[in-house]
DNA sequence: CAGATAATCTGAACATTGTATAGATTCACA
DNA sequence: TGTGAATCTATACAATGTTCAGATTATCTG
């Protein structure tokens, strides 16, 4: 009888699962992963606290879903940063590589709470990330550095793990206050030395 | 009247502050930093839940105290690992350097929950760690590599941040399942390449 | 189109948590 | 020895994760 704005009735939400995930992201962003409350998430969405149990087994399952989404979005940010640098020169290849690392670090320092949720042991990644976009982008960038002659094939060997470890470690140590923020460019230079990049 | 085994009465604990910290460490070790309960800590020590508020402002303060202790102990482990390698040769200097990294990684994989508490944003380090033992050991090890001629002075520049970032990042990514465990030696080799070590 | 069945959400309840406050117990010192 | 300070307990309260019975709506069957 009463006209409704929503697509569906107000009793059935329609897309509660992703609404809960988005609300959880917003709350973690504000208050940190350890202060996330299922009841606050439900209240933000406008639903009863019990409703989430139809989509997630428990609170940890919701957190894991958030982690999966955040990991995808981080990879999207890196892809976006790469795509902003055009050209086939050695210079642009190097810039793409650096843009990836800078995007990773920038996300860590602007969203430390999301970073902590993703990498702090709160969620168990269901997807084995070996063939994830994040790995692929890094691998392709290293391949490009080889093909344009910036690094050698032998130096490229095991480059992924060194690069990701150093960028991730610096980001983590900096947002937790163990390392000053200006150390990140130094780490980036050290990475390039490790790759024999000139 | 009744003979007592304890040094003090059973009402006054005697050294409640450190007992609470040790009990908290044991519980975090088992169940993770996010599932630590003040009440469980108190119960383990055999004390009322309110008693801890005479030594710690709140739960976060107890966690921070735990973090400070853990950081010190990690540095102790590294010092211990270094001290097991004797000699003044290039070889022993290199071994000491590697022993430090290996000790760090070993602690991370054997005590992932303690590692998460220390580096996962749960505690706010009160002590500025710039002059901490962990920094000093790393700095001295790098100096030694220079003095025995294993790395150059220019490569040593900013070596601390690269080394700590890569070792910490690899440890973190491995215990969270983002990276296979066997990647750590590769990261160590990459670090040594970055330092120009031969 | 009507009725049954399944999907979705609510309400109330329970145990557990962090924390505040008032009071009990014990220590240390005059 | 007794008085004040330090230390711990008891109780209480609001908030949290989770369960379960039932209410509401969607969807499918005839």
């Amino acid at each position: 009888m009463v006209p409704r704005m929503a697509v569906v009735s107000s009793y059935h939400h329609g897309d509660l699962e992703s609404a809960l995930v988005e609300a959880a992201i917003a709350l973690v962003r504000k208050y940190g992963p350890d202060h996330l409350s299922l009841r606050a998430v439900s209240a933000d969405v406008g639903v009863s606290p019990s409703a989430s149990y139809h989509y997630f087994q428990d609170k940890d399952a919701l957190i894991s879903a958030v982690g999966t989404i955040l990991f995808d979005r981080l990879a999207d940010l890196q892809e976006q940063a790469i795509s902003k640098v055009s050209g086939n020169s050695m210079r642009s290849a190097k810039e793409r590589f650096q843009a990836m690392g800078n995007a990773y670090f920038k996300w860590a320092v602007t969203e430390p709470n999301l970073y902590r949720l993703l990498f702090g042991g709160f969620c168990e990644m269901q997807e084995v990330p070996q063939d994830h976009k994040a790995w692929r982008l890094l691998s392709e960038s290293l391949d490009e550095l080889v093909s344009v002659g910036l690094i050698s094939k032998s130096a490229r060997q095991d480059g992924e793990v060194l690069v990701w470890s150093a960028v991730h470690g610096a980001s983590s140590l900096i947002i937790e206050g163990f390392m000053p923020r200006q150390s990140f460019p130094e780490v980036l230079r050290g990475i390039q030395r490790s790759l024999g990049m000139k």
Side-chain angles (χ1 to χ4, degrees), chain A residues 4-19:
Chain A
R4 299 212 171 279
M5 318 286 293
V7 184
V8 294
S9 81
S10 65
Y11 195 94
H12 283 19
H13 182 280
D15 194 12
L16 184 54
E17 178 166 352
S18 61

Side-chain angles (χ1 to χ4, degrees), chain A residues 14-28:
Chain A
D15 194 12
L16 184 54
E17 178 166 352
S18 61
L20 287 170
V21 170
E22 290 304 324
I25 291 179
L27 286 178
V28 169

Side-chain angles (χ1 to χ4, degrees), chain A residues 48-133:
Chain A
S48 132
S50 325
S52 53
Y53 286 86
H54 267 264
Y55 301 96
F56 306 101
Q57 199 184 5
D58 52 12
K59 187 187 173 185
D60 286 343
L62 171 59
I63 292 185
S64 291
V66 168
T68 306
I69 294 222
L70 290 183
F71 194 39
D72 292 347
R73 291 192 184 166
L74 173 56
D76 289 344
L77 281 180
Q78 295 188 273
E79 187 175 40
Q80 201 174 323
I82 290 178
S83 69
K84 277 183 182 156
V85 184
S86 59
N88 291 327
S89 63
M90 285 176 59
R91 181 194 157 109
S92 56
K94 188 175 184 177
E95 282 179 4
R96 270 188 288 273
F97 176 76
Q98 292 173 337
M100 261 190 65
N102 285 325
Y104 194 101
F105 176 66
K106 185 179 179 183
W107 189 69
V109 294
T110 56
E111 301 291 354
N113 282 330
L114 300 184
Y115 194 85
R116 292 180 182 115
L117 171 58
L118 176 53
F119 292 115
F122 293 94
C123 45
E124 318 202 4
M125 295 288 112
Q126 53 180 2
E127 178 186 9
V128 183
Q130 299 287 28
D131 53 346
H132 192 273
K133 189 199 239 177

Side-chain angles (χ1 to χ4, degrees), chain A residues 27 36-50 52 59:
Chain A
L27 286 178
L36 177 69
S37 119
L38 252 190
R39 297 179 101 105
V41 172
S42 312
D44 275 21
V45 175
V47 101
S48 132
S50 325
S52 53
K59 187 187 173 185

